[in-house]
Amino acid sequence: MTSTARRLCTAATGAALLALALTSCGSGNDAGAGAATADESNAIPAPSGLDAAREYRSVREADPVADPVAVAIPAIDVDGPLTRTGIDDRELEVPDFGDMSWFESGTAPGDPGPAAILGHVDTRKGPDVFYRLHELEPGDSVVVDTADGESLEFVIDRVEQHDKDEFPTENVWLPGSEPRLHLITCGGEFDRSAGSYRDNVIAFATLNSS
Amino acid sequence: MPRLSRMSLVALPAAGVMLLSACGGTGGTAAPVEPAAGTDGGGAAQTAGDLTAEDLRITLERQLGQHAMLAVEAMRAGVAGQDHFDAAAASLEKNTEDLTDSIGAVYGDEGAEKFNELWSNHIDFFVQYTTGVAEDDQEAQDEAIERLDQYREDFGGFLDGATEGELPQNAVADLLQDHVDQLVSQVDAYAAEDYAGAAEQTREAYAHMFGTAQGLTNAIVATQDGISGDPESPDVELRSDLGKLLGEHAQTAMQAMRAGVSGQDDFDAIAGALDANTRDLTGAISGVFGAEGGQAFMGMWADHIDFFVQYTVGLAEGDEQAKEEALQRLEQYREDFSQFLDGASDGSIPAEVVAEGLQKHVDDLVDQVDAFESGEYDSAYGSAYDAYNHMYGTAEALSGGIVDFMGGEMPAGGVETGGGGTTR
C-alpha cells in the first residue's frame, strides 16, 4: 500500500466511515467479510451489501411514455389534438387534411429514439396545419401532451428540406437512445403533373430534459 | 503527497504486463467477434493519416467515459480507505496513457506530453480533494478545488490553442466545471453514505463525457487535415449510443459485483444505477424491435444480470454449487439471447457473433470478481479494463446489424403531405 493509500485508509478509519474501513484497511483483502463461507456466516454477521445482493432482482418492467394526444408549437401558432397514422408496405400512411398525426408504428414522443408527427402543408384550397413549419428556428419549443397528462417539451435543433427522392431516411428513422421528435410536411415546388410537392420539410427536435 | 501517476506505478508491476500487452492497435476498428488487442486494451485512435472521424469520436468517448468511471472508483476507494485503491489508481493511469496516445495521434508528441501533464495534474487534484474529505480537512478540500479551477483555465487554454479556437477556452472551462462538480459531488455523497446520490452523480459524470468527446471530435475534425468521414452521421450516432449504454452496463455491473462480494453498503445504489441503465438500453432496443421485442430483450437482459449477481453471492458464501448453477444459466442465456437477436433481426445480427461476444463478457466479469474476492486487485482491474472496452466492439457489431436490419424496415422515401392549394 502506498503512503497516500495508507493515509486515506487511516483517515477513513478515524472518520464516519469507520465501519466500512474496518473491513478493508490493512486486511490485504477488502472482499473481507464478503468472502466468508456459509459456515462462517454463523459467527460473523452477514454484511448488508451481501444481503442486498441476495435479495436483488434486476428490473423487468420498462417504463414507456404514454401515447401522445396533443401537440403545441407556439412559434407558428399550432395547437391541437393528434390523430394517428401508420405504415403500409414501408410507405407512410398519409394523414387526413387538417390532422396532425403521430406515426404510431414508430416511437412515442419521449421514449428513446425518433418519434414523428406528420401534417399537411396545404390542402387543395389553402394552407393546412404545418403550413408554417419551415419558419421554425433552433430553440423553438414543441410541447407534446400525453394520455396520462404529462407535457413533454422538445426543442428544435434544425429544419431541413430534402427532395423526396433523397429523403434522409436514416437521419429520420434510425433508432437511438435519446428521445427525438421529427415534424414532417411537404415543401419546395409543387409538381402539378404528379399532384405532389417535390420536397419534404423536416423539423428535428430533441427532448428538453432539464 | 506523491503524484498519483507515481503512486500508481508502485501498483503496476503485477498488472502492468497484462495492461501494457493489451495496449496499442485501433480501438475503433476492432473486429466485433474477437476484438483486436486495441479494443480490449483501450488503445488509442489510429495515427494521423488513416484516422476517421467516426473512430476518433468513438475512441474519445470510450476513453473519456472510462476516465470518469475509474476516477469515481478510485475516489471512492480512497475516501473509504479500501485496499484496492492502488489498483484503481493504476487503471486510471492506464486510461490516461491511452488518452494521451489518442491526443498524440492528432497533435503529435509535444501536444501529447502537454496533455498528459495537465490531465495527470487534474487527477492528482481530485485525489487531493478525496484525501481532504477522508481526513475531514476543509482546507485541503478548498485547496484542491482552487487547483482544479486553475486546471480548468490551463486545460481550456490548451484546447483553445490546439483547436485553433474551435473549442474556446471559456467553453472548455464550463464543460470541465461540470466534470469537477459531478466527481466532487459523488465523492461527497459517498462519504456521507448517500450512496444513491453518489450513483446518480456517477451516471451523470459518465454521460457528460460523451458530449465532451463529441465536441472535441468536431473541433479536431474542423481544424485538422486528413480525418475523413462525418462524426455525426446517423450510424455513428447509433454506435455511439450503444457504446455508451453497453460500456455503462459492464462497468456498473462490475461495481455491483465488487460491492456484493465484499458486502459494501452501496450495493443497492449501484444496482439501482444498473437498473436505470437496463431501462435505457431497453428503450433503445424497443425502437428497433418494437415494444414486444423490447420487453423480450429486457427479460433476458435482466436474467443475465441476476445470474452474475447469483454468481457473486455464491462466491461470497463459498458456495461452489451456486457458482456453477449461475455459470450454467449464463451459458443458457448466451444461447437464448444470441438466437433472439438473430431471429428478431432476420439474421442481421448473427447468433454466432453475439454468442462469441457474450462469452468474453461473461469471462471478463467472472474473472474480475474472482480476482477481487481473492484480493488480486491488479488482476481484477485488468479484467475490468478489458470488459469495459470489449463492450464497444459489441456496440459496433450490434449497431452495424441494426443498420442492416432497419434498412429493410424503415419507411421508404418521402411523405405526401400537401394538396398544392397554396402554390401559384
Side-chain angles (χ1 to χ4, degrees), chain A residues 124 189-198, chain B residues 419-424:
Chain A
R124 294 185 183 86
E189 291 183 19
F190 189 74
D191 182 345
R192 294 192 180 281
S193 62
S196 169
Y197 281 94
R198 295 187 193 281
Chain B
T422 60
T423 58
R424 290 178 223 170

Side-chain angles (χ1 to χ4, degrees), chain A residues 115-145:
Chain A
I117 294 175
L118 281 55
H120 287 275
V121 65
D122 60 11
T123 67
R124 294 185 183 86
K125 296 180 179 176
D128 206 345
V129 288
F130 278 174
Y131 182 67
R132 296 176 60 197
L133 195 71
H134 66 282
E135 295 178 20
L136 288 174
E137 295 180 350
D140 285 342
S141 175
V142 181
V143 178
V144 175
D145 293 337

Side-chain angles (χ1 to χ4, degrees), chain B residues 132-337:
Chain B
V133 173
E135 296 178 339
D136 198 20
D137 182 343
Q138 189 61 49
E139 190 176 338
Q141 294 174 46
D142 293 344
E143 189 176 307
I145 294 296
E146 282 178 21
R147 287 174 171 169
L148 282 164
D149 281 342
Q150 184 59 50
Y151 156 76
R152 290 194 304 115
E153 297 301 316
D154 295 344
F155 196 72
F158 166 71
L159 284 183
D160 191 329
T163 63
E164 302 169 28
E166 281 289 323
L167 278 180
Q169 183 173 15
N170 56 352
V172 176
D174 286 347
L175 280 173
L176 288 172
Q177 184 64 63
D178 291 339
H179 179 55
V180 170
D181 289 347
Q182 288 155 352
L183 291 193
V184 164
S185 295
Q186 67 81 28
V187 79
D188 283 346
Y190 194 85
E193 300 182 20
D194 173 14
Y195 302 125
E200 186 177 337
Q201 285 296 317
T202 299
R203 287 204 84 202
E204 288 188 18
Y206 175 73
H208 176 70
M209 301 313 283
F210 286 74
T212 302
Q214 187 174 2
L216 181 56
T217 301
N218 288 341
I220 290 172
V221 170
T223 53
Q224 297 291 311
D225 293 332
I227 302 174
S228 59
D230 179 1
E232 296 184 323
S233 66
D235 53 337
V236 175
E237 295 288 352
L238 178 62
R239 181 180 168 191
S240 166
D241 283 349
L242 292 176
K244 179 171 77 171
L245 290 171
L246 291 171
E248 184 186 36
H249 160 73
Q251 200 69 29
T252 311
M254 292 186 291
Q255 290 173 3
M257 292 169 82
R258 290 181 209 143
V261 81
S262 55
Q264 303 293 346
D265 287 339
D266 58 348
F267 176 88
D268 266 344
I270 298 171
L274 193 54
D275 285 347
N277 171 268
T278 295
R279 286 195 187 92
D280 290 347
L281 201 48
T282 299
I285 294 298
S286 297
V288 180
F289 301 126
E292 194 175 333
Q295 191 59 55
F297 164 88
M298 191 180 204
M300 281 187 271
W301 195 257
D303 280 345
H304 104 284
I305 293 172
D306 285 351
F307 300 154
F308 278 127
V309 174
Q310 288 170 16
Y311 181 88
T312 300
V313 172
L315 180 65
E317 295 176 335
D319 186 340
E320 291 299 325
Q321 186 177 344
K323 287 165 58 181
E324 186 57 35
E325 284 178 5
L327 291 176
Q328 287 173 2
R329 287 171 174 165
L330 281 164
E331 177 61 27
Q332 185 61 50
Y333 155 77
R334 199 168 70 91
E335 180 71 22
D336 295 344
F337 192 68

Side-chain angles (χ1 to χ4, degrees), chain A residues 150-164:
Chain A
E150 191 176 8
S151 288
L152 305 168
E153 186 194 26
F154 292 81
V155 177
I156 297 293
D157 295 325
R158 65 191 190 281
V159 178
E160 297 179 358
Q161 184 168 327
H162 296 271
D163 189 308
K164 287 176 181 172

Side-chain angles (χ1 to χ4, degrees), chain A residues 101-123:
Chain A
S101 282
W102 166 51
F103 176 56
E104 68 173 331
S105 302
T107 301
D111 274 340
I117 294 175
L118 281 55
H120 287 275
V121 65
D122 60 11
T123 67

Side-chain angles (χ1 to χ4, degrees), chain A residues 60-79:
Chain A
R60 287 162 192 280
E61 296 295 327
D63 189 18
V65 173
D67 288 350
V69 294
V71 62
I73 315 172
I76 55 173
D77 294 325
V78 166
D79 188 353

Side-chain angles (χ1 to χ4, degrees), chain A residues 184-206:
Chain A
I184 307 174
T185 192
C186 279
E189 291 183 19
F190 189 74
D191 182 345
R192 294 192 180 281
S193 62
S196 169
Y197 281 94
R198 295 187 193 281
D199 298 346
N200 277 129
V201 173
I202 308 157
F204 294 82
T206 50

